């Protein structure tokens, strides 16, 4: 994929501090037959700073898609407020939708249109004058220049993903939402897409990402929110979220077989994995590695090798999701 286009130049005052501002956003789906009312979003407050890559994570059914669809104008909210690039979605829905581009999870492309035709149609729907359209530039940027006049039904799954990204960029939105953009795609395309997303972000586009690949979120995102049962259960910088866990694992390979863990080491939380590997889970804020190693040596045990594992975003995600209560 080539270098991205510059982000939108909206006829607005200076760019807002937050690309998205959500206050008390609530969505309750009405009862249907024997099914009771369903609270999909429960007074959600969220701010996405301008210029960041922001991760919105949560299990299936957490409310992520409902939130995105409200911003896109596809779902009516029950209560609360939302602003996109400083524009209230109720006060000026047309302008607010023009400030956001959404790449959906579903491959919803018309099989009988070519990429060029789809981008021209999309640009027309957004009111982009023909003289200002950048169809060829966008297709080249996402690596589809040579497929510009092929029917979309002939494109591979990865190419269709790129085409969805291209459609979302026709009006040069300052905010880009990617909803599970790498679901089911191969590693090469995933890496290519993330390279392009980083370039878009460097050029000024604020990116909101939902993904079930937590390693991707950990590598890409500046700030992360975790939503569960319609509530935001955590929202902070990636470093601050990971610091909450305050947990590490140390695996120590020793030079002799142990039938059981010595009492002094067991008191420090050590367990055996096989006869020659001690595993210690500890809190870095309270325990020094040097003290753990000294305790092992004090038992007359020689150390052959040491490895450690940091707690990652998956650990935090599982902890928060399992502990969060369901919405009423």
């Amino acid at each position: 994929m080539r270098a991205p286009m510059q982000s939108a130049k909206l006829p607005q005052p200076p760019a807002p501090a937050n690309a998205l501002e959500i206050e008390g956003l609530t969505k309750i789906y009405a009862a249907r037959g024997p099914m009771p009312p369903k609270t999909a979003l429960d007074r959600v407050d969220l701010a996405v700073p301008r210029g960041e890559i922001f991760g919105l994570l949560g299990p299936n059914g957490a409310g992520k898609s409902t939130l995105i669809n409200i911003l896109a104008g596809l779902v009516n909210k029950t209560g609360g407020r939302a602003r996109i690039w400083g524009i209230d979605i109720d006060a000026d829905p047309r302008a607010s939708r023009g400030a956001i581009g959404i790449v959906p999870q579903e491959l919803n492309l018309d099989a009988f249109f070519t990429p060029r035709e789809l981008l021209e149609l999309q640009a027309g729907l957004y009111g982009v004058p023909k003289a200002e359209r950048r169809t060829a530039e966008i297709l080249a940027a996402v690596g589809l220049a040579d497929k510009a006049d092929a029917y979309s039904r002939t494109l591979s799954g990865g190419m269709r993903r790129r085409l969805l990204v291209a459609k979302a960029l026709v009006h040069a939105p300052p905010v880009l939402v990617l909803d599970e953009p790498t679901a089911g795609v191969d590693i090469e395309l995933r890496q290519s897409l993330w390279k392009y997303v980083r370039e878009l972000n460097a050029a000024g586009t604020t990116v909101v990402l939902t993904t079930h690949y937590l390693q991707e979120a950990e590598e890409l995102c500046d700030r992360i929110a975790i939503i569960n049962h319609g509530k935001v259960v955590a929202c902070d910088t990636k470093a601050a979220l990971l610091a909450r866990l305050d947990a590490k694992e140390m695996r120590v390979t020793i030079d002799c077989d142990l039938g059981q863990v010595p009492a002094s080491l067991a008191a420090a939380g050590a367990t055996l994995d096989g006869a020659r590997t001690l595993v210690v889970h500890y809190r870095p804020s309270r325990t020094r590695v040097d003290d753990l190693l000294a305790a092992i040596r004090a038992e007359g045990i020689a150390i052959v090798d040491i490895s450690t594992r940091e707690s990652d975003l998956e650990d935090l995600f599982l902890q928060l999701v399992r502990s969060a209560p369901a919405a009423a």
Side-chain angles (χ1 to χ4, degrees):
M1 295 184 182
R2 298 185 184 178
M5 299 67 62
Q6 294 295 316
S7 58
K9 298 178 181 179
L10 298 178
Q12 299 288 333
N18 292 321
L20 295 178
E21 291 180 336
I22 295 169
E23 300 169 0
L25 195 63
T26 300
K27 175 61 182 178
I28 302 173
Y29 289 101
R32 298 185 63 182
M35 300 298 294
K38 168 68 176 177
T39 301
L41 294 175
D42 188 3
R43 300 182 298 277
V44 168
D45 294 325
L46 203 60
V48 176
R50 170 171 51 88
E52 288 194 349
I53 299 180
F54 187 95
L56 181 62
L57 309 181
N60 291 331
K64 305 185 300 298
S65 294
T66 296
L67 192 153
I68 291 170
N69 287 335
I70 289 173
L71 296 177
L74 300 175
V75 170
N76 294 323
K77 61 185 176 60
T78 304
R81 298 181 62 190
R83 289 181 289 274
I84 304 171
W85 208 248
I87 306 165
D88 190 283
I89 65 171
D90 293 322
D92 195 345
R94 184 184 180 95
S96 68
R97 291 169 196 172
I100 194 169
I102 295 180
V103 181
Q105 182 176 352
E106 298 79 15
L107 294 171
N108 55 353
L109 297 170
D110 193 309
F112 296 98
F113 279 76
T114 67
R116 190 190 308 278
E117 291 168 339
L118 283 169
L119 264 60
E120 285 291 315
L121 176 61
Q122 188 82 349
L125 292 174
Y126 276 99
V128 180
K130 286 191 175 183
E132 298 178 16
R133 296 178 188 177
R134 298 162 300 136
T135 297
E137 178 187 350
I138 296 172
L139 288 173
V142 299
L144 290 176
D146 60 337
K147 299 291 185 180
D149 298 308
Y151 287 123
S152 61
R153 68 175 182 270
T154 68
L155 302 180
S156 68
M159 290 178 180
R160 294 181 190 184
R161 288 278 175 204
R162 297 185 205 179
L163 184 51
L164 288 177
V165 174
K167 283 183 63 181
L169 295 173
V170 295
H171 58 299
V175 183
L176 180 66
V177 177
L178 303 171
D179 189 7
E180 298 287 347
T182 57
V185 304
D186 61 43
I187 294 175
E188 184 178 3
L189 173 61
R190 186 175 297 155
Q191 292 176 343
S192 176
L193 178 60
W194 291 141
K195 179 176 182 292
Y196 185 60
V197 167
R198 286 189 177 100
E199 290 170 351
L200 277 172
N201 179 247
T205 302
T206 302
V207 178
V208 178
L209 166 69
T210 79
T211 179
H212 283 106
Y213 298 108
L214 299 185
Q215 185 178 359
E216 289 183 344
E218 190 167 350
E219 291 177 1
L220 286 164
C221 297
D222 305 297
R223 192 179 303 267
I224 293 170
I226 298 176
I227 187 170
N228 194 32
H229 299 302
K231 294 177 178 289
V232 174
V233 295
C235 182
D236 212 328
T237 63
K238 177 173 57 183
L241 286 175
L242 292 176
R244 287 189 186 189
L245 286 175
D246 189 25
K248 290 185 71 173
E249 177 188 274
M250 180 173 67
R251 301 179 70 85
V252 182
T253 304
I254 58 179
D255 71 342
C256 60
D257 292 346
L258 287 181
Q260 62 181 15
V261 179
S264 63
L265 300 181
T271 59
L272 274 174
D273 182 9
R276 294 197 174 199
T277 302
L278 286 167
V279 181
V280 185
H281 293 93
Y282 65 99
R283 299 177 65 179
S285 64
R286 297 187 178 183
T287 305
R288 298 190 310 167
V289 171
D290 189 55
D291 293 336
L292 294 173
L293 297 179
I296 294 172
R297 294 191 186 97
E299 292 290 339
I301 300 172
I303 297 171
V304 176
D305 192 20
I306 301 171
S307 65
T308 61
R309 188 184 78 85
E310 300 274 358
S311 295
D312 57 19
L313 188 59
E314 182 175 345
D315 296 321
L316 177 67
F317 179 86
L318 291 174
Q319 183 184 94
L320 290 172
V321 166
R322 287 169 178 168
S323 63

